[in-house]
Amino acid sequence: MKDYYYFLGVPQNASAEDIKKAYRKLSLKYHPDKNDNDPYFSDRFKEVNEAYETLTNPDKKRIYDHSFGGVHRNAKSILPPQIKNFSASKIRAKKDEEITIYWNTYDADLVKIVPFGLEKPTGERTIRIKEFDSQGKFQILLHATNTVLHKTIVQGITITEVFESEATSGKENPGKSFHENFRKPQKKETGSIRLVSVLILVAILVALIWTMLH
């Protein structure tokens, strides 16, 4: 059974007003129109709406809490949360380039990836970075929380922006190649001129000698 409190990021004793506030905030954040209809945000938007419709309906909420709430509370771990792995497919990327992030946590019943939102304890997600900060950086933070112990650990990944000029810097420089190619035939041409000059001088000397002898 889905954890609707988890989807909204509120405790199980949250008031109706707290649930509404959380819904408004998340629905704006995850709305497909604000995220180029990205499937990731579309799924989060559906989850948030499903949670809101259930938790704001007194009858649905009572049935939901009865069938799920107690079992969920008893299943929580009493061990400190751990992050076994948090990594990305690349740490240098261009704007709007696909990056896949991976994570694996233990003993955490509340997992959040900033700036994207709530996630499952283990998973992977493909993202696209629209904007980097003024230093060409984009930071992703994984928060793993055990709500029983009120303990949270955080781990981060920093993605560095790669510009088009950097991406093509390893390619051959057309200007340099042209310059080198231009110089080679120029050297051959200079050698040919010298050879012709020598031949002319030889011809003149031969002509002078022939004239003196006759």
Side-chain angles (χ1 to χ4, degrees):
M1 182 177 287
K2 297 179 180 180
D3 187 344
Y4 291 141
Y5 295 99
Y6 183 80
F7 290 164
L8 293 175
V10 297
Q12 291 188 352
N13 61 354
S15 66
E17 186 61 30
D18 289 338
I19 291 173
K20 289 180 180 179
K21 287 180 180 178
Y23 169 73
R24 292 192 197 101
K25 181 179 179 180
L26 293 175
S27 62
L28 288 173
K29 178 178 180 180
Y30 294 142
H31 199 288
D33 291 346
K34 293 182 176 293
N35 297 283
D36 299 326
N37 291 312
D38 187 304
Y40 168 80
F41 291 101
S42 296
D43 290 342
R44 299 290 80 75
F45 184 71
K46 291 176 183 177
E47 290 174 344
V48 166
N49 276 281
E50 183 179 337
Y52 178 73
E53 289 176 3
T54 299
L55 298 182
T56 53
N57 183 302
D59 293 333
K60 289 183 179 180
K61 184 177 185 299
R62 184 172 58 255
I63 295 172
Y64 174 80
D65 287 343
H66 178 73
S67 61
F68 176 77
V71 174
H72 181 67
R73 282 193 293 272
N74 293 333
K76 289 184 179 180
S77 172
I78 58 172
L79 297 175
Q82 300 178 54
I83 297 176
K84 182 179 181 181
N85 173 59
F86 184 43
S87 58
S89 59
K90 59 187 69 177
I91 58 173
R92 291 174 57 82
K94 294 180 291 185
K95 284 183 181 179
D96 209 37
E97 184 175 359
E98 283 193 353
I99 302 172
T100 303
I101 55 176
Y102 310 87
W103 67 94
N104 187 9
T105 68
Y106 289 134
D107 303 306
D109 59 302
L110 184 64
V111 176
K112 181 167 60 175
I113 297 181
V114 179
F116 305 110
L118 295 172
E119 280 291 357
K120 297 178 181 178
T122 298
E124 64 178 68
R125 187 70 62 186
T126 298
I127 63 171
R128 294 175 183 269
I129 300 175
K130 302 295 184 181
E131 291 294 335
F132 291 81
D133 65 19
S134 59
Q135 297 180 341
K137 306 290 184 182
F138 185 90
Q139 190 171 50
I140 306 170
L141 297 175
L142 171 62
H143 295 248
T145 302
N146 183 310
T147 58
V148 174
L149 301 179
H150 301 288
K151 183 176 179 60
T152 299
I153 56 175
V154 181
Q155 188 171 327
I157 297 174
T158 300
I159 308 298
T160 302
E161 183 176 10
V162 175
F163 298 95
E164 291 294 338
S165 58
E166 293 180 62
T168 59
S169 62
K171 297 181 180 180
E172 183 179 4
N173 186 332
K176 183 177 180 180
S177 299
F178 174 80
H179 182 64
E180 290 177 349
N181 292 333
F182 175 77
R183 289 179 62 184
K184 289 179 181 179
Q186 187 177 31
K187 289 181 179 179
K188 291 181 180 180
E189 183 179 351
T190 301
S192 300
I193 293 173
R194 289 177 180 173
L195 179 59
V196 171
S197 299
V198 171
L199 291 176
I200 292 174
L201 289 173
V202 171
I204 293 173
L205 289 174
V206 170
L208 289 173
I209 295 172
W210 186 84
T211 302
M212 292 174 62
L213 294 175
H214 295 80

